[in-house]
Amino acid sequence: MSVSKIDYKNPEGLYSSNIFTQSITVSGNVKTIYFGGQNAADETGALVGGKNLELQARQVLRNIELILASEKADFSNLIKLNIYLLNGCDPRIGLRVFEEYIHDLHNPPLITVLFVSGFSRHDCLVEIDGIAAVENE
């Protein structure tokens, strides 16, 4: 059985943060989990949080937590997140919520934050997609 290895790197000469990592290499016997854009919809499809970015961000992260758990993974298995915010939203609000979920991660994921003019669901303020990796059983 091959061994899985995930290397989190902040190469010298690049900024080192406790919120994101600059590069990650995944090799060996791993299962990769790709999840599509998660918005603040609950299990019934209803949008949680109205026009409140903090409440929407919490629901988005709950949805991601459920996806990861369904694959026997958690936030520590995240490799990459793309975070899309509606123009005009304050990213610091979402960051505070995100830090609650990742505050104790030794190796944070790669993160890209983008501002967009709108979402297919007009009342959404935030959407996140990403990649996680776990060792195959």
Side-chain angles (χ1 to χ4, degrees):
M1 175 184 262
S2 70
V3 176
S4 66
K5 185 174 181 183
I6 302 174
D7 288 323
Y8 294 79
K9 299 177 183 177
N10 287 303
E12 193 167 324
L14 295 177
Y15 177 71
S16 182
S17 170
N18 63 352
I19 296 173
F20 63 87
T21 298
Q22 293 290 354
S23 70
I24 301 171
T25 304
V26 179
S27 58
N29 190 27
V30 296
K31 172 174 60 173
T32 307
I33 305 159
Y34 300 86
F35 56 90
Q38 295 300 303
N39 60 33
D42 67 12
E43 67 275 2
T44 69
L47 187 78
V48 173
K51 294 293 183 185
N52 183 313
L53 178 58
E54 179 180 352
L55 295 177
Q56 283 202 22
R58 286 186 191 289
Q59 182 63 41
V60 170
L61 292 168
R62 273 190 218 103
N63 292 348
I64 293 169
E65 190 172 45
L66 289 170
I67 290 167
L68 294 172
S70 75
E71 295 295 334
K72 298 180 182 167
D74 59 34
F75 284 94
S76 70
N77 300 109
L78 288 172
I79 299 296
K80 172 75 172 123
L81 292 175
N82 295 312
I83 303 170
Y84 307 90
L85 290 170
L86 187 66
N87 282 334
C89 286
D90 184 348
R92 294 172 295 187
I93 294 170
L95 177 62
R96 281 194 302 269
V97 175
F98 183 67
E99 285 179 315
E100 292 174 20
Y101 281 80
I102 64 139
H103 72 279
D104 61 350
L105 290 185
H106 180 68
N107 294 306
L110 307 169
I111 295 176
T112 300
V113 179
L114 303 158
F115 286 95
V116 298
S117 59
F119 295 100
S120 60
R121 185 167 180 170
H122 75 280
D123 44 0
C124 288
L125 302 175
V126 59
E127 187 170 297
I128 301 176
D129 64 49
I131 303 168
V134 294
E135 186 171 349
N136 269 329
E137 296 179 0

